[in-house]
Amino acid sequence: MATIFDGSRLPEKDRMEGFRSVFVRETTPHHTVFLRPRTGPVNAKVDLWRLNDDVQVMRLNNTGVMHRRSEQALHATGPERVAFVVHDGSPGRYEHAGHARTLSRGTLYLTDLNAAFTYSRSGEGAAIIAQIERDRLGVSIEQVYRADSRLSASPFYDLVRRHIAGTPGSAAAMGERERTLLAGITAQLMRALIVTSADPESAAGREALQDHLVDRIRSYIALHFRDPGLTADRIAYEHAISVRHLFRLWTGQGASLGETIMATRLEAARQELVAHPAVPVGHIAHRCGFVSVSHFSRRFRAAFACSPTQWRVESAGSPASSPGA
């Protein structure tokens, strides 16, 4: 994470222009930005997470704001991006592609950043903004426009809203590999929400309900295996399906869901034992999602026919097991 703007570090007279410059640079040119506090001085803070070259997430906190891209600015195109925004804070108002609505806390909305749009909020609040190149999603501008007015009817609406709202907290603790996985999951969910909102009765819309679901769940496990609380109930909830559907979906995958989670944890632990020889075995066990060190040792021995300590000793200096080999 990088804090790319913090108004508290500037004189108040410079905060408006500083925020406008940073925000326009990271979203789209040719639109107007004002800070609009209800009372007191203006202020704002912008944090940024670049998950990969296509996907980035911003968190804005400010004292009130207005964004406006007018019809007159449409001749000056910018990056072909779409943005999903989770509104947090005092009520706001949003208009995009001819559709106007009031925003309450937790509302998710969608913007084509080359379109004409207006967003305003006068009180304290925040927003989580996930941006992605439209080509990465494989959707048309017309689909984006149609989807925006129908988002809440999609079965993916709550899933995507929770995912975007939770991304800053998740990304803050991730390495590069995990952020890349998170970017892929985010793109898949964004596409699914747009397609099922824009064309719910089309073949593409129906296929999106299941398309890549197993891959998304595998990616989700790869991101969250370190959490001891990773269960079938949680995975089903986060993917807007029932536990029964989840288990049925996993039939024929070659290993049960529980075995998949366990194998992911054990493989990560095996790699970390060699990559971090000075870190105690118990610490690595906990870092890889095991509550009990003795349970970790038993499962490790059953999987690899040696104890974690034996594996570490025998692997020391082995080119095949050295990091980066």
Side-chain angles (χ1 to χ4, degrees), residues 92-322:
R93 181 170 176 80
Y94 176 61
E95 183 172 354
H96 173 242
H99 178 58
R101 79 225 67 171
T102 300
L103 302 176
S104 58
R105 186 183 297 272
T107 302
L108 174 68
Y109 63 93
L110 171 63
T111 301
D112 168 59
L113 293 178
N114 276 322
F117 58 84
T118 303
Y119 166 81
S120 62
R121 172 178 47 77
S122 60
E124 296 277 347
I128 310 296
I129 304 172
Q131 291 186 112
I132 188 168
E133 301 299 320
R134 187 167 53 78
D135 286 349
R136 175 71 174 79
L137 297 177
V139 297
S140 67
I141 292 177
E142 290 75 20
Q143 284 177 300
V144 173
Y145 287 175
R146 290 199 304 273
D148 176 51
S149 62
R150 308 171 183 172
L151 286 184
S152 60
S154 168
F156 285 95
Y157 177 81
D158 284 332
L159 173 59
V160 175
R161 182 177 61 173
R162 292 196 307 269
H163 177 84
I164 292 174
T167 293
S170 299
M174 290 179 177
E176 183 176 355
R177 174 181 172 276
E178 292 170 313
R179 287 196 300 272
T180 300
L181 279 171
L182 182 60
I185 293 172
T186 303
Q188 289 173 347
L189 290 174
M190 286 178 166
R191 172 176 166 75
L193 179 53
I194 290 174
V195 171
T196 55
S197 300
D199 306 300
E201 302 304 321
S202 69
R206 292 192 298 272
E207 289 170 7
L209 292 173
Q210 295 300 328
D211 191 28
H212 304 307
L213 183 54
V214 169
D215 289 339
R216 289 203 304 272
I217 293 172
R218 287 192 182 278
S219 297
Y220 184 85
I221 291 170
L223 285 172
H224 298 280
F225 72 88
R226 299 181 188 279
D227 184 351
L230 183 63
T231 63
D233 284 347
R234 175 175 158 189
I235 293 170
Y237 174 78
E238 292 293 342
H239 291 82
I241 59 177
S242 68
V243 174
R244 183 177 181 179
H245 185 184
L246 173 62
F247 285 133
R248 186 167 61 247
L249 186 71
W250 220 254
T251 301
Q253 292 302 311
S256 70
L257 184 67
E259 289 169 344
T260 301
I261 296 171
M262 180 58 65
T264 304
R265 288 172 171 161
L266 288 170
E267 182 57 33
R270 184 166 73 155
Q271 294 180 21
E272 291 196 16
L273 284 165
V274 178
H276 306 287
V279 177
V281 169
H283 184 76
I284 286 177
H286 292 310
R287 194 158 68 185
C288 291
F290 292 90
V291 175
S292 164
V293 178
S294 60
H295 179 234
F296 164 65
S297 297
R298 287 196 304 272
R299 295 305 298 256
F300 193 96
R301 184 182 292 276
F304 305 119
C306 65
S307 71
T309 301
Q310 287 173 318
W311 165 256
R312 173 178 269 172
V313 171
E314 292 170 2
S315 299
S318 169
S321 59
S322 297

